[in-house]
Amino acid sequence: MNEEAPQTKERVICDKCGTILHEKIDGHKSLTDIEEKYVSVARGRKFKWYVTPANLLLTCLFIAGIDYVTEPNEAKFNLDWAVWPIIGIIFLFLAAALLSKRPESFWVMGPLIFIELIIFLYAMDIAYGSNDGIFGLDWSQIPILFLLIFGFAIPLVSKLGFETPTIDEKFDRMVGDE
């Protein structure tokens, strides 16, 4: 005789509205468990620690390869212009790595990143060109001034001038007695 065992159902029901949230039959995965698996995959994959640095290294090698095969090549293994984007990619990666570890320190790291970018632009301008402008700059005066004001000075002054509410003001806002 082929007699099937009775199926047992485990239901999780919402306390407020009474709808069935998910249902398991004899220990099999429910539809919501399967949906959760696909939602977590759709949110983004997690990679091992070396994937991003390796991808950036490959990108830098690609940029260096373009510079190496294009004219003019004065010497073997001489990079004409690829040094600057490679340095920029490395600086941005290091800044992003620092910010991802401690996002609460962005008010310090943000202005420091802009100072780093200013130094990068200054070095690029000094390395090439006639450099007969103010501070020995040629073309980077306006971008450096823009980054200095809007990327460094304004965020720093805004953070230092932020008035923190007192405990009483926080309580009054929470209660709604303003």
Side-chain angles (χ1 to χ4, degrees), residues 27 30 45 48 59 63 94 113 122 130 139 146 154 163 167 176-177:
S30 68
R45 295 182 176 193
K48 296 189 189 256
T59 303
I63 291 170
L94 292 176
I113 289 170
Y122 183 79
S130 61
W139 56 268
F146 176 82
I154 289 178
E163 188 176 307
I167 294 173
D177 294 339

Side-chain angles (χ1 to χ4, degrees), residues 1-5:
M1 286 190 177
N2 267 346
E3 197 173 301
E4 293 184 21

Side-chain angles (χ1 to χ4, degrees), residues 33-44:
D33 291 338
I34 296 169
E35 288 172 352
E36 286 175 9
K37 175 184 172 190
Y38 288 112
V39 167
S40 67
V41 169
R43 283 188 191 136

Side-chain angles (χ1 to χ4, degrees), residues 19-160:
T19 59
I20 298 173
L21 297 176
H22 72 276
E23 189 173 50
K24 289 185 180 181
I25 301 174
D26 287 334
H28 294 287
K29 289 186 175 182
S30 68
L31 183 59
T32 55
D33 291 338
I34 296 169
E35 288 172 352
E36 286 175 9
K37 175 184 172 190
Y38 288 112
V39 167
S40 67
V41 169
R43 283 188 191 136
R45 295 182 176 193
K46 295 193 180 211
F47 296 105
K48 296 189 189 256
W49 67 269
Y50 59 84
V51 172
T52 303
N55 286 337
L56 289 176
L57 178 68
L58 291 172
T59 303
C60 291
L61 287 174
F62 176 72
I63 291 170
I66 291 173
D67 190 13
Y68 181 71
V69 299
T70 56
E71 296 293 329
N73 251 350
E74 289 97 29
K76 196 172 188 174
F77 303 115
N78 184 21
L79 297 178
D80 296 323
W81 54 266
V83 173
W84 300 111
I86 290 171
I87 290 172
I89 287 171
I90 292 170
F91 279 156
L92 287 176
F93 170 71
L94 292 176
L98 288 173
L99 286 176
S100 67
K101 299 295 179 194
R102 293 185 54 110
E104 66 274 1
S105 66
F106 183 73
W107 79 271
V108 173
M109 291 301 299
L112 289 179
I113 289 170
F114 282 104
I115 291 294
E116 181 181 281
L117 186 59
I118 288 168
I119 293 169
F120 177 68
L121 289 175
Y122 183 79
M124 257 175 54
D125 195 0
I126 292 297
Y128 302 107
S130 61
N131 302 329
D132 56 356
I134 189 169
F135 298 119
L137 298 175
D138 193 22
W139 56 268
S140 67
Q141 297 168 0
I142 294 173
I144 286 176
L145 185 62
F146 176 82
L147 292 173
L148 191 61
I149 299 292
F150 293 102
F152 179 75
I154 289 178
L156 191 64
V157 169
S158 298
K159 178 61 180 176
L160 294 176

